[in-house]
Amino acid sequence: MEEKIKIAPSILAADFSQLGIETQAITKAGADYVHVDVMDGHFVPNITIGPEVIKDLRKCTELPFDVHLMIAPVDPFLESFVKSGADIITFHPEAGPNTQKTINIIKKLGIKVGLSLNPSTSIEVLDPLIDCLDLILVMTVVPGFGGQTFLDNQLIKIEKIRKLIDKSGKNIELEVDGGINFDTAPKAISAGADVLVAGTATFNGGPQNYASNISKLRNG
Ligand code: DX5
Ligand code: ZN
């Protein structure tokens, strides 16, 4: 049986002056995860939010926090993200210095671990690591900003990773992030995605639209 597609609204597209209320609104509207884009102005050319904000948002929802780290270094910050309430931490192998070590630290802290592949990152990076992962995130934009255009040329990568996951027999989620909207969501789903990150497309039109936006992204 096909599992239900999960929708992970990226709160980067929320109204930051109302972040708690926005988080409650997407929870009520049927989101599956809260996707938190953490950017440091160094690994990517933008600065967003850190563990203190996540800690306070933890009071606003029981949904899993899907924390996407676009920072370098990663390791010194892992404990504080876990303490703040992260349920899944995803990072980029380019952040260095040792991907396997970072995976081990996250697992030891008792939460799920994901690895994120930039459009230019080859899937070979997964070969020695796939068995340790709970989630693989395929970026369909160059990370750094919300509201960019979905890169169709990543669909083939999603298809290949779907096959790798199925072959592994492991329970690994395949998440797609960047430029997801009502046109591109069906493409990502048919390529094999389980989880769709959607910032702009979820928050478009304000709170009265969140439930219909989420259900349209999920079901087409
Ligand atoms: C990009 C972030 C994405 C982004 C998604 O660096 O990782 O999560 O906020 O935003 P939309 O859905 O607007 O492309
Ligand atoms: Zn993201």
Side-chain angles (χ1 to χ4, degrees):
M1 200 183 72
E2 290 285 304
E3 294 263 339
K4 183 180 116 180
I5 299 294
K6 291 181 179 160
I7 304 297
S10 163
I11 55 169
L12 190 57
D15 177 349
F16 271 28
S17 73
Q18 311 282 326
L19 214 40
I21 292 166
E22 292 275 67
T23 303
Q24 285 165 340
I26 54 166
T27 304
K28 217 173 133 208
D32 298 282
Y33 295 158
V34 178
H35 185 83
V36 186
D37 286 307
V38 178
M39 306 185 187
D40 66 354
H42 159 73
F43 186 72
V44 290
N46 194 6
I47 299 178
T48 57
I49 63 180
E52 293 299 325
V53 176
I54 298 174
K55 188 176 104 221
D56 285 346
L57 288 180
R58 192 64 283 176
K59 301 174 215 151
C60 301
T61 185
E62 300 208 332
L63 290 180
F65 277 134
D66 169 30
V67 175
H68 178 191
L69 296 182
M70 287 159 276
I71 64 173
V74 170
D75 297 354
F77 298 101
L78 292 171
E79 198 177 337
S80 70
F81 278 106
V82 173
K83 279 196 178 141
S84 75
D87 298 278
I88 307 163
I89 288 184
T90 298
F91 69 101
H92 290 250
E94 292 83 0
N98 182 328
T99 307
Q100 181 71 66
K101 188 175 156 222
T102 302
I103 291 172
N104 296 346
I105 298 172
I106 297 170
K107 298 217 109 167
K108 223 168 152 199
L109 288 166
I111 66 161
K112 292 187 174 175
V113 59
L115 197 66
S116 178
L117 272 59
N118 277 344
S120 61
T121 305
S122 137
I123 65 170
E124 269 83 70
V125 74
L126 295 170
D127 286 346
L129 304 168
I130 188 160
D131 285 345
C132 313
L133 297 173
D134 299 296
L135 182 147
I136 298 169
L137 175 62
V138 177
M139 292 303 307
T140 40
V141 299
V142 175
F145 299 92
Q148 302 185 74
T149 304
F150 184 89
L151 296 171
D152 276 309
N153 61 10
Q154 296 303 297
L155 287 166
I156 181 88
K157 188 192 275 176
I158 300 168
E159 284 170 14
K160 284 185 184 160
I161 296 175
R162 173 82 269 152
K163 287 195 184 121
L164 281 181
I165 291 173
D166 291 347
K167 211 175 106 199
S168 79
K170 304 240 170 203
N171 189 13
I172 303 169
E173 290 194 303
L174 179 48
E175 183 172 43
V176 175
D177 184 6
I180 291 289
N181 56 36
F182 301 144
D183 294 325
T184 58
K187 296 189 203 178
I189 293 168
S190 35
D194 305 303
V195 186
L196 303 179
V197 176
T200 310
T202 299
F203 289 94
N204 193 24
Q208 71 275 17
N209 288 359
Y210 297 168
S212 63
N213 288 346
I214 288 171
S215 119
K216 230 168 134 187
L217 289 165
R218 202 195 312 276
N219 303 312

